[in-house]
Amino acid sequence: ASTVAPGSTFTIEGDALYPGLIESVLIGGQPLSTSNYRTLSDTRIEVVAPSTRGSNQPVVVKTSQGFSNADVK
């Protein structure tokens, strides 16, 4: 787990992150504004960290096919 300061960017890496399938990115169960993330390729999404309180917040990508992992809260 890493800590990212609000406003800093980080990259989500995975498989099948096709731009046409991505519906949202969630941090701590809260969906981000579409202005806070962009798809770089079908394996990478760049995210601008929001001002979310707490630590160890799960990061989940929601696609039209489901969720990227089971950490959805």
Side-chain angles (χ1 to χ4, degrees):
S2 297
T3 300
V4 179
S8 297
T9 60
F10 65 93
T11 303
I12 298 170
E13 295 183 350
D15 295 318
L17 300 173
Y18 304 110
L21 298 180
I22 296 180
E23 295 180 351
S24 62
V25 174
L26 299 91
I27 296 181
Q30 300 300 311
L32 300 181
S33 166
T34 55
S35 64
N36 278 73
Y37 64 90
R38 68 184 177 117
T39 303
L40 301 174
S41 69
D42 63 355
T43 61
R44 297 167 35 120
I45 300 172
E46 182 179 70
V47 179
V48 177
S51 297
T52 303
R53 292 186 177 266
S55 60
N56 296 321
Q57 298 289 331
V59 177
V60 176
V61 178
K62 181 182 179 196
T63 73
S64 59
Q65 306 301 303
F67 293 96
S68 62
N69 52 314
D71 289 345
V72 181
K73 292 185 178 185

